[in-house]
Amino acid sequence: MTGALSPIDKAKFVAAKRAAEFVEDGMRVGLGTGSTAAWLVRCLGEMVRDDGLKFRGVPTSTRTAELAREVGIEVISLDEARWLDITIDGADEFDADLALIKGGGGALLQEKIVATASDQMVVIADAAKEVEHLGAFPLPVELIPFGWQTTQALIEETLVSMDVMGRNATLRMNGDRPFITDEGNHILDLHLGRIGNARQLAMVLNQVPGVVENGLFIDICDQVVVGFGDGRVEVRDINAGTVTEDRLDFVEDDNLFSDLGD
Ligand code: 5RP
């Protein structure tokens, strides 16, 4: 089975598998969204089933909730958990300060709420997600549907005074209809090329009426677990200033590697 995985998928898998080791009995755990987070949920499900790990998970999307239940994880809402010990999630880009772009999967709003309500946030990513400057990946901004074209115009106007390379904004589509988030909102993808001041941009975007949240995660992530296609894993801790290296073996397991829908 694992022979069929691409190097990128192997990298995502080893990052997820290594980060799953951070979860301990009794924890309340934020479960991210996306293909890397789906590996994490699978790994945690295996630990629940095979090792008797006991924890409760707060998913960041309906699709993560479905997968978590499917693999035997006890799912609770954020209101039930109130506060989380750890959140583990993927990212579209991360830089040396562990500032992130998230929301490629359209779940940025719940992801930001859940990550912010956690003692620590751990990002799991393949090495290709590391960038010197954020912005090559289009920045997702969640908007309420009411008057979204006016909101788009206001955002474009705001971008004129921001330190960015491009200013093109496109409404995310799902076929011939606008993409709808779990909260019933739209997503505008900002093609900025390079973001000079991510902290300022994150604050300014959230001031525009109609904007619910943006995909810049600043000072939220504590650690990143970077996976490589050859099984190497690097754990970088921004608070401790440490980098530890590890290597994981791929173990063939039909349950873990089959039917990965995300
Ligand atoms: C979803 C996200 C994901 O974490 C991000 O898009 C990374 O996805 P993947 O692990 O599939 O590369 O922010 O909203």
Side-chain angles (χ1 to χ4, degrees):
M1 273 292 183
T2 53
L5 288 181
S6 69
I8 291 275
D9 280 330
K10 283 182 181 170
K12 290 180 178 189
F13 170 71
V14 291
K17 179 106 180 151
R18 177 68 181 82
E21 293 171 15
F22 295 163
V23 177
E24 295 171 8
D25 275 342
M27 279 186 168
R28 290 158 298 175
V29 180
L31 302 170
T33 295
S35 56
T36 321
W39 284 121
L40 170 84
V41 173
R42 291 275 171 146
C43 290
L44 289 173
E46 190 183 54
M47 289 160 75
V48 168
R49 196 179 58 241
D50 297 350
D51 310 331
L53 177 69
K54 288 185 173 48
F55 74 97
R56 290 171 297 162
V58 174
T60 51
S61 61
T62 48
R63 56 189 192 278
T64 296
E66 276 166 23
L67 179 61
R69 288 197 181 94
E70 201 180 292
V71 300
I73 293 172
E74 185 186 343
V75 168
I76 58 170
S77 69
L78 183 58
D79 285 327
E80 287 171 287
R82 294 295 185 94
W83 195 259
L84 305 175
D85 297 283
I86 188 170
T87 285
I88 308 175
D89 198 351
D92 299 300
E93 284 184 352
F94 67 91
D95 70 10
D97 296 326
L98 305 194
L100 316 171
I101 287 185
K102 284 188 52 56
L108 65 118
L109 178 55
Q110 289 190 22
E111 289 172 339
K112 201 181 262 192
I113 294 170
V114 167
T116 304
S118 304
D119 281 343
Q120 54 165 333
M121 184 208 189
V122 177
V123 157
I124 45 178
D126 57 276
K129 302 282 182 62
E130 181 165 17
V131 295
E132 200 170 326
H133 297 284
L134 298 177
F137 191 91
L139 175 65
V141 178
E142 185 155 344
L143 316 173
I144 64 164
F146 176 83
W148 71 266
Q149 290 179 83
T150 303
T151 307
Q152 173 173 354
L154 287 170
I155 289 174
E156 285 169 346
E157 204 179 297
T158 300
L159 288 176
V160 173
S161 57
M162 291 289 109
D163 181 8
V164 292
M165 243 167 57
R167 295 189 175 87
N168 190 29
T170 51
L171 185 71
R172 193 178 297 182
M173 302 296 287
N174 183 9
D176 57 1
R177 289 170 180 273
F179 176 88
I180 304 290
T181 68
D182 275 351
E183 279 70 38
N185 295 319
H186 293 336
I187 296 219
L188 203 60
D189 288 308
L190 308 186
H191 302 263
L192 306 174
R194 182 183 190 277
I195 301 172
N197 188 336
R199 187 181 301 275
Q200 182 192 36
L201 181 63
M203 286 194 301
V204 166
L205 284 172
N206 281 12
Q207 298 304 311
V208 177
V211 169
V212 181
E213 192 48 89
N214 69 80
L216 285 166
F217 284 47
I218 314 289
D219 294 337
I220 293 178
C221 177
D222 300 288
Q223 294 187 66
V224 62
V225 182
V226 188
F228 296 84
D230 60 1
R232 275 180 308 124
V233 188
E234 233 178 65
V235 182
R236 299 184 204 161
D237 185 321
I238 192 81
N239 304 313
T242 55
V243 179
T244 51
E245 290 182 23
D246 215 342
R247 180 178 285 277
L248 270 72
D249 291 326
F250 298 105
V251 180
E252 293 211 10
D253 179 330
D254 280 355
N255 290 324
L256 199 56
F257 288 97
S258 64
D259 300 330
L260 194 72
D262 205 332

